[in-house]
Amino acid sequence: MTLAARHLASISDEKLQELRDRVDLVAVVQRRVPLKKSGHDWKGLCPFHGEKTSSFYVVPDKKMFHCFGCGVSGDAIKFVMQTEGRSFREAVEQLANEAGVDLTPPDAEEARRSARRAALGEVNEKACTFYERILWEHPKGEIAREHLRQRGITEDTAKAWRLGYAPNLWDSLIKSHALKGVDPRLVEEAGLGVPRKKGEGLYDRFRGRLTIPIRESGRIVGFGGRLLEGESEAKYLNSPDTALYQKGHTLFALDRAREAIRRDGVALFVEGYFDAVGLHQAGVSTAIATCGTALTDKHLELVTKAGARELVFVFDGDAAGMRAAQRASEIAAAQGAPARVLVPPGGEDPDETVLRVGVRGFREMLASAQPSLEFLLDRALGQLPAGAPIEARVRAVDAVKGIVQAAPSPLARDLYVEKVAEKVGAPVDAIARALAGKAVIVSAPKTAAPKQAEPGKPLPHSVLKAELVILAAVVRNPGLAPDLAHSGAVGEFVHPALRDAADAVCSGADPRIALRAVEPDSLRQRLLDAVGEMEQAGDHTDAKRLSNLVRKHAQTVALERKQRASPRVPRG
């Protein structure tokens, strides 16, 4: 065994990606299958099932093969494994030798970490195979097959994406033959098993859920699960962060979209797994999705490295989707990344829209998507009610300063200024001076707009407490939500998680549901404690008391912050 083979378990993700990029998949397949050119692709008779008409295709741009007859698909590594009966390690070693890729790890510590990641990847692979068999071969998979039919997901697509089903049983995976002999500690570390509260052993994390494998660097790093049977507050459940998988550093479908993003220069962000799958099935192959988390700077870094020069956010048209589009636009603006926003009509999901209008109609909608800075400006000004007091108008102008200053051209900046002036009812020249930082609009008491807390710097206790009390009061009395919305105080919230929760409540979300979405757990517990304290004290906050709380919060922020800054989009 070569040195590379001995260290293969410790191959890094970067090396695996380098291997896949350098391997000539057409040449690898042609050793076993005679291929003929078919447009940009190659086709031949499938080596995995008997057929007389060619349904086996090799797609060089995507570095993958797919058979439309039996549904098998994969990359060069999987092809070698299945046609030559090799293990993953043996297939990688063979291809690395042919492509001249050195698999030797850089140091012992990295080798240890990479070996652990490889082991987790193998456990995920075993679990994925188990879920696939349940979906296609077991009667319990019928509920998932029916769900896919209703969503318009074809069997070929489902098999190509290796969708599966976790039956609604406590330990079907844990006790399955698929995991026989696997160290339970590894199963738990992969996020597939959860320790029992009573007694020893594990139970399945995914139960009664359609499973969606999440791939990165050619291997399965985690799963998403869509609830179909049983009861759970979460419609979607995701694998926890592991040594192999971090939600904030992973994009679903990027492995499939990479070549299209490089070709088109556009990355199309959607909210859900099936949004991405549905768009790819329709032919929109630049679609990617975050894995149950908000967009991060790392996500933008990933698509930039993939060749994206522009971002398009296509999020659901409901309140949650609008908030997600706003957060994503803010991050793109902070990074100076050109971006646009498309909100599907009628509250549709993107995969529903593309089924209704077709891929051509969907591309036309993408072409007319609103620039993200304009979207942010409309959202910010839309929260300013008609006849708002001077103080609220001053705060609104200050809140959009970063948006206007980030405009891509002088003309766009002038148009944004005109829009702000029209909305707040002030002269254009006065708005231009205020947004340039040269003067304020009117001589009136001013409340400085807060900045987000700097990374690693704790939020002042007085500010955090004030925001917790306001939100707790509205959770206890949802009838106060319109008063909070009209006060303009939500834009003043400094803590992003509390601001998102307050924004959700003001947009009509159930306060209790918004409370459960607050992260991290420690912050959510503090909010629950605040609600509990109010209940024990018999506190009955009304609109007048809420107004006092809002005013005190603004005063507290003003005292804690020494300079103005946009609370969301950094100054240009």
Side-chain angles (χ1 to χ4, degrees):
M1 183 178 292
T2 66
L3 179 61
R6 288 196 299 271
H7 289 301
L8 194 54
S10 60
I11 184 172
S12 67
D13 295 343
E14 292 76 15
K15 285 292 185 181
L16 278 175
Q17 188 60 51
E18 179 186 353
L19 176 62
R20 289 179 172 85
D21 289 342
R22 290 176 58 175
V23 164
D24 184 344
L25 179 59
V26 174
V28 170
V29 173
Q30 280 184 323
R31 292 202 297 259
R32 288 270 184 170
V33 180
L35 297 175
K36 293 183 179 180
K37 199 78 164 64
S38 177
H40 294 294
D41 305 331
W42 296 75
K43 69 177 182 178
L45 296 177
C46 179
F48 305 113
H49 81 288
E51 63 175 8
K52 296 182 179 180
T53 302
S54 299
S55 60
F56 180 85
Y57 283 77
V58 177
V59 186
D61 287 347
K62 294 186 176 181
K63 302 285 186 181
M64 66 174 292
F65 65 87
H66 178 70
C67 177
F68 290 95
C70 65
V72 67
S73 64
D75 57 12
I77 298 173
K78 186 172 181 180
F79 183 83
V80 172
M81 289 172 62
Q82 295 199 355
T83 57
E84 301 183 16
R86 296 180 179 273
S87 67
F88 179 84
R89 299 180 181 186
E90 292 169 339
V92 170
E93 181 191 24
Q94 175 181 318
L95 292 171
N97 287 335
E98 294 172 357
V101 176
D102 182 11
L103 301 176
T104 307
D107 57 63
E109 180 58 25
E110 175 58 27
R112 185 191 66 77
R113 290 194 298 267
S114 295
R116 197 62 176 175
R117 291 196 294 268
L120 293 173
E122 291 184 5
V123 174
N124 286 335
E125 177 66 32
K126 293 177 185 292
C128 184
T129 300
F130 170 80
Y131 294 142
E132 286 179 292
R133 288 174 178 169
I134 297 296
L135 174 62
W136 301 113
E137 301 174 12
H138 199 283
K140 290 187 179 297
E142 175 55 31
I143 187 173
R145 295 193 292 271
E146 176 59 25
H147 181 79
L148 291 174
R149 287 191 288 268
Q150 292 178 358
R151 295 197 71 125
I153 301 297
T154 67
E155 185 173 327
D156 283 343
T157 296
K159 288 182 175 180
W161 289 77
R162 301 193 65 187
L163 304 184
Y165 185 65
N168 190 30
L169 302 171
W170 279 100
D171 51 12
S172 59
L173 173 64
I174 298 299
K175 291 184 176 180
S176 70
H177 183 74
L179 296 187
K180 185 177 181 181
V182 177
D183 187 343
R185 291 173 297 182
L186 202 58
V187 177
E188 180 184 350
E189 186 178 346
L192 295 167
V194 181
R196 295 180 182 274
K197 294 181 179 179
K198 295 182 180 180
E200 297 181 351
L202 305 172
Y203 63 87
D204 293 353
R205 178 179 296 276
F206 297 99
R207 304 183 307 280
R209 293 180 183 272
L210 182 64
T211 57
I212 308 103
I214 301 165
R215 296 176 60 86
E216 188 177 63
S217 299
R219 61 188 174 193
I220 298 170
V221 297
F223 293 90
R226 203 285 188 191
L227 185 69
L228 297 182
E229 287 187 281
E231 296 183 358
S232 173
E233 292 184 355
K235 182 164 70 172
Y236 280 91
L237 180 67
N238 300 285
S239 293
D241 283 359
T242 68
L244 182 62
Y245 170 61
Q246 289 181 286
K247 291 186 281 289
H249 292 191
T250 307
L251 286 168
F252 176 71
L254 181 58
D255 60 318
R256 293 174 176 270
R258 194 181 303 274
E259 290 301 321
I261 289 173
R262 182 180 296 127
R263 181 186 67 242
D264 298 346
V266 176
L268 184 64
F269 281 90
V270 294
E271 281 188 273
Y273 299 119
F274 283 106
D275 293 331
V277 173
L279 288 176
H280 274 263
Q281 178 178 273
V284 184
S285 52
T286 55
I288 52 180
T290 58
C291 301
T293 186
L295 188 75
T296 66
D297 291 342
K298 181 63 177 179
H299 291 145
L300 294 191
E301 181 183 332
L302 289 172
V303 295
T304 300
K305 286 183 177 179
R309 298 183 298 276
E310 183 183 30
L311 315 175
V312 181
F313 303 121
V314 187
F315 292 162
D316 300 350
D318 58 13
M322 293 294 282
R323 291 195 301 275
Q326 180 168 334
R327 288 193 297 268
S329 296
E330 290 165 2
I331 292 176
Q335 295 293 322
R340 290 179 289 131
V341 176
L342 172 63
V343 179
E348 290 181 327
D349 292 348
D351 61 328
E352 295 174 333
T353 301
V354 76
L355 282 174
R356 180 175 59 81
V357 304
V359 65
R360 182 175 180 179
F362 191 79
R363 292 188 185 281
E364 291 175 353
M365 294 173 67
L366 289 176
S368 60
Q370 185 180 29
S372 61
L373 288 177
E374 185 177 333
F375 170 81
L376 283 175
L377 195 62
D378 286 346
R379 285 278 288 172
L381 295 178
Q383 296 178 6
L384 186 68
I390 289 177
E391 291 85 351
R393 292 155 63 195
V394 171
R395 290 195 298 269
V397 173
D398 193 61
V400 301
K401 185 179 294 186
I403 301 172
V404 175
Q405 291 181 347
S409 68
L411 176 58
R413 186 160 51 248
D414 290 345
L415 294 175
Y416 289 170
V417 167
E418 289 182 6
K419 177 178 284 194
V420 176
E422 180 181 358
K423 181 64 178 179
V424 302
V428 173
D429 290 345
I431 293 294
R433 290 195 302 271
L435 293 176
K438 296 178 180 179
V440 295
I441 306 174
V442 293
S443 179
K446 301 174 292 298
T447 302
K451 294 190 299 182
Q452 287 186 350
E454 297 176 11
K457 185 175 182 179
L459 189 68
H461 175 74
S462 56
V463 176
L464 178 59
K465 183 178 180 180
E467 294 176 1
L468 285 169
V469 170
I470 291 173
L471 191 50
V474 179
V475 168
R476 285 205 67 221
N477 183 4
L480 294 174
D483 296 283
L484 179 60
H486 289 307
S487 72
V490 175
E492 299 280 346
F493 271 43
V494 180
H495 197 293
L498 295 181
R499 185 181 65 231
D500 287 346
D503 191 18
V505 171
C506 291
S507 299
D510 185 323
R512 298 280 174 173
I513 295 177
L515 186 152
R516 288 197 294 269
V518 172
E519 293 182 349
D521 292 343
S522 57
L523 180 65
R524 182 168 61 253
Q525 188 58 53
R526 291 191 65 174
L527 184 54
L528 286 168
D529 291 343
V531 173
E533 290 173 5
M534 286 184 173
E535 291 175 348
Q536 290 178 3
D539 179 90
H540 297 288
T541 301
D542 57 12
K544 183 176 180 180
R545 173 164 165 71
L546 178 66
S547 177
N548 290 334
L549 291 173
V550 167
R551 186 176 65 255
K552 289 181 179 179
H553 170 258
Q555 293 171 347
T556 302
V557 170
L559 290 173
E560 293 289 351
R561 303 300 188 187
K562 295 183 179 180
Q563 61 180 8
R564 291 177 181 270
S566 169
R568 299 187 177 186
V569 182
R571 296 169 185 261

